Amino acid sequence: MLKSSIAKKVAMSLSAFFLMFFLLQHLAINLTSVFSADTFNELSHFMGTNALVQYVLQPVLLFGVVFHFIMGFVLEIRNKSARDVRYVKNNGSANSTWMSRNMIWSGLVILAFMFLHFVDFWIPEINTKFIQGDWSGVIAGEEGYRYFTELQHKFVSPIRVGVYCLAFVFLALHLLHGFNSAFQSVGANNKYTKGLKKFGVAYAILVPLGFIIIALFHHFNH
Amino acid sequence: MKLILKVWRQKNSSDKGRIETYPMENVSEHMSFLEMMDVLNEQLISQGTDPIAFDHDCREGICGMCSMYINGEAHGPDRGITTCQLHMRKFNDGDTIYVEPFRAKGFPVIKDLTVDRSAFDRIQHAGGFISVNTSGNTQDANAIPIPKDDADKAFDAATCIGCGACVASCKNASAMLFVSAKVSQFSLLPQGKVEAKRRVLNMVEQMDKEGFGNCTNTGACEVECPKGISLENIARMNREYLKASVASE
Ligand code: HEM
Ligand code: SF4
Ligand code: FES
């Protein structure tokens, strides 16, 4: 399984499609926090306590993320070893974009960000629910669900907000190449490709921008 | 014009190699790059030094032998050409020009600028052919109807001259543009359909064995390819490969 170069590329692409779909869903839920704290709370509680989400989708997501970056490393190592002696002078920008040549670096920035993101949100959630066994979604003595208030607290620190924004710029760079690359990898290059490229640019800019706007919104409104 | 050439010199495959600097004067802008190299070699010979080994044959852009990496690009800064078709008028008086061999683990250096591209031959042997009965009652190829669109695409793919610029330009030293051109050229035509599955599986397997990298879809190969082989071919090869893998027992 996944021995050949093309099998690896296709697997990489499928994990990337899955991540891009997940990103849309994540953005959609986060966006509600800008318009209505109640809706955000309801959705968060649903996602956080629904058995299907917690026990099926969440492990699948974790697998998808881990698979994607491990495969990223595997490909990078193989690709580096395919040129054992480097050029003295190489003019990469003459024939390809910076984004396409630096997927591993934009990916590593996203990985570093995901580490921070896990420490910020995911580990506390797992701790509350699975270790302390508290699935109520409320804090004793406080009114309503805890999710929205917790979100606001996270975006108080300007340093954290700055880091979040920077990471999303790198996500945009990753996707500016990645979105269409994923289609090419599964063999989809046809009369729709031109239009899809424009859509890809829009996706790669708007989705990370959405996350940036949400972070800034909560930073300035709490 | 005056030039400073920085050329990769390497005695043999086990030598480490290094860049040597050669100043040149009175270079005519009408010369091709290879003619300029010839003049430099005349100079080296008259000085009693070993001339620079480089590959070339047709000198008209059809054999694909001339394989230099010039100022950081395969076949130099011009588009849609091989090194023998590159002219000195593309450079300016006083320029420093780096000349290196094509670099890939699959293309070991033999001497100076010559590299061993027999990996491409082995990939071709693995499946870049069709088997036809030549017993005397062979069907006339022109009698087989082929949609114009397919014929055009197959022909475009068949213009690949196996020069290796795609590998040299790729940040991953991937040979996918070359292999996909060879796969596409046959898979688009009825004559190639019979062996289509075996062909793509075997050629990709050989490509991987030769140590070429994976494709990151940067598109550098397509830009540097002297024959304008399109990335569409790589997508087609990926489709063919998927189809063949799913269908093979
Ligand atoms: C939400 C996060 C991420 C998304 C949405 C995403 C998306 C993508 C997409 C769409 C591609 C193109 C796939 C293809 O060419 O077939 C890609 C490629 C890549 N990703 Fe990610 N990615 C993410 C996180 C990461 C992380 C954390 C890493 C860690 C190193 C990473 C490393 C890579 C690499 C190295 C490639 C290029 C592989 C190649 O073609 O050689 N990505 N990514
Ligand atoms: S695909 Fe283009 S660059 Fe690659 S070997 Fe064929 S002609 Fe040369
Ligand atoms: S020498 Fe034949 S293509 Fe340049």
Side-chain angles (χ1 to χ4, degrees):
Chain A
M1 267 296 271
L2 302 188
K3 247 174 52 199
S4 83
S5 50
I6 296 184
K8 288 198 193 76
K9 276 301 308 183
V10 171
M12 186 75 188
S13 161
L14 293 180
S15 69
F17 273 123
F18 173 72
L19 290 180
M20 289 194 292
F21 183 76
F22 160 74
L23 221 51
L24 269 188
Q25 169 264 320
H26 199 328
L27 177 66
I29 293 184
N30 284 16
L31 271 178
T32 63
S33 72
V34 171
F35 302 108
S36 152
D38 285 343
T39 317
F40 179 73
N41 271 332
E42 292 294 334
L43 281 170
S44 298
H45 191 66
F46 171 77
M47 297 298 279
T49 52
N50 181 281
L52 180 71
V53 176
Q54 286 297 305
Y55 297 110
V56 181
L57 297 185
Q58 181 160 278
V60 170
L61 173 64
L62 272 177
F63 176 79
V65 172
V66 173
F67 181 91
H68 184 79
F69 72 74
I70 299 268
M71 192 53 111
F73 293 143
V74 169
L75 290 172
E76 181 66 19
I77 290 167
R78 157 108 195 172
N79 293 343
K80 274 277 164 304
S81 78
R83 176 162 293 128
D84 36 9
V85 183
R86 311 280 299 265
Y87 288 112
V88 175
K89 187 175 164 82
N90 189 32
N91 187 3
S93 59
N95 50 38
S96 54
T97 62
W98 186 91
M99 285 77 87
S100 71
R101 280 176 281 124
N102 292 283
M103 290 299 274
I104 190 69
W105 297 112
S106 52
L108 280 172
V109 174
I110 303 169
L111 188 63
F113 163 80
M114 285 199 305
F115 186 74
L116 174 71
H117 195 58
F118 269 43
V119 172
D120 269 1
F121 290 98
W122 195 70
I123 293 180
E125 276 298 310
I126 294 292
N127 180 35
T128 311
K129 287 187 299 216
F130 290 90
I131 297 178
Q132 299 181 5
D134 176 7
W135 291 74
S136 66
V138 291
I139 294 171
E142 282 185 26
E143 225 176 285
Y145 286 132
R146 59 187 163 83
Y147 310 102
F148 185 76
T149 341
E150 282 175 358
L151 176 80
Q152 282 190 316
H153 285 316
K154 294 293 181 203
F155 289 119
V156 172
S157 153
I159 295 174
R160 191 189 264 116
V161 172
V163 170
Y164 265 60
C165 293
L166 190 71
F168 279 110
V169 171
F170 277 88
L171 178 64
L173 294 173
H174 200 69
L175 291 171
L176 273 173
H177 175 70
F179 186 94
N180 282 288
S181 176
F183 282 89
Q184 167 81 7
S185 292
V186 289
N189 186 335
N190 49 40
K191 61 176 187 246
Y192 302 114
T193 299
K194 243 179 148 184
L196 203 64
K197 277 204 171 134
K198 292 196 187 120
F199 183 81
V201 172
Y203 177 97
I205 292 173
L206 293 180
V207 171
L209 190 64
F211 283 103
I212 290 178
I213 289 172
I214 294 167
L216 291 177
F217 177 86
H218 290 298
H219 179 65
F220 292 111
N221 295 282
H222 62 261
Chain B
M1 51 192 194
K2 277 188 188 169
L3 297 172
I4 296 173
L5 269 97
K6 297 210 172 253
V7 184
W8 185 262
R9 300 303 308 264
Q10 183 173 340
K11 279 201 187 69
N12 50 47
S13 53
S14 48
D15 181 20
K16 262 195 71 170
R18 78 234 146 254
I19 290 278
E20 294 271 352
T21 305
Y22 302 107
M24 282 191 83
E25 306 210 353
N26 298 326
V27 176
S28 156
E29 58 178 23
H30 303 300
M31 281 180 186
S32 78
F33 202 86
L34 295 188
E35 282 162 347
M36 186 276 296
M37 293 297 290
D38 292 338
V39 172
L40 174 58
N41 271 345
E42 292 293 336
Q43 280 179 23
L44 293 178
I45 291 167
S46 66
Q47 290 162 8
T49 15
D50 201 19
I52 301 161
F54 61 89
D55 268 326
H56 61 103
D57 187 18
C58 70
R59 297 210 174 193
E60 53 182 354
I62 49 176
C63 73
M65 279 307 283
C66 50
S67 58
M68 296 172 192
Y69 207 72
I70 300 162
N71 269 350
E73 284 182 78
H75 300 141
D78 215 352
R79 294 283 169 258
I81 54 149
T82 50
T83 303
C84 56
Q85 295 169 294
L86 175 67
H87 284 86
M88 297 317 294
R89 52 180 166 271
K90 288 284 160 188
F91 299 89
N92 299 313
D93 191 30
D95 275 1
T96 299
I97 306 175
Y98 280 83
V99 190
E100 297 175 72
F102 281 3
R103 293 229 181 264
K105 197 162 77 186
F107 288 168
V109 173
I110 299 169
K111 186 182 180 193
D112 297 337
L113 303 173
T114 52
V115 297
D116 179 356
R117 280 169 284 181
S118 57
F120 272 15
D121 299 337
R122 290 188 291 275
I123 295 172
Q124 279 282 59
H125 294 167
F129 52 80
I130 56 164
S131 308
V132 231
N133 190 343
T134 52
S135 59
N137 51 3
T138 316
Q139 190 180 5
D140 179 6
N142 287 325
I144 305 170
I146 298 167
K148 169 94 167 74
D149 209 35
D150 288 350
D152 285 351
K153 282 184 179 151
F155 191 83
D156 285 347
T159 58
C160 164
I161 53 177
C163 63
C166 41
V167 172
S169 314
C170 176
K171 79 175 184 68
N172 307 333
S174 166
M176 289 217 186
L177 194 66
F178 165 77
V179 180
S180 72
K182 299 302 170 196
V183 165
S184 289
Q185 159 190 353
F186 296 117
S187 74
L188 283 159
L189 302 177
Q191 292 94 328
K193 293 263 195 287
V194 188
E195 288 149 310
K197 280 186 204 148
R198 223 169 52 197
R199 173 181 308 113
V200 67
L201 294 175
N202 290 347
M203 288 182 85
V204 169
E205 191 188 335
Q206 189 64 35
M207 167 182 88
D208 290 347
K209 259 193 221 151
E210 299 288 351
F212 295 110
N214 278 278
C215 177
T216 300
N217 307 319
T218 69
C221 52
E222 180 184 54
V223 174
E224 299 292 348
C225 171
K227 301 296 157 186
I229 303 292
S230 152
L231 281 188
E232 277 174 38
N233 291 295
I234 300 186
R236 183 177 300 105
M237 173 173 71
N238 292 0
R239 290 199 296 276
E240 292 280 326
Y241 187 87
L242 279 178
K243 254 195 306 191
S245 312
V246 173
S248 69
E249 294 90 52

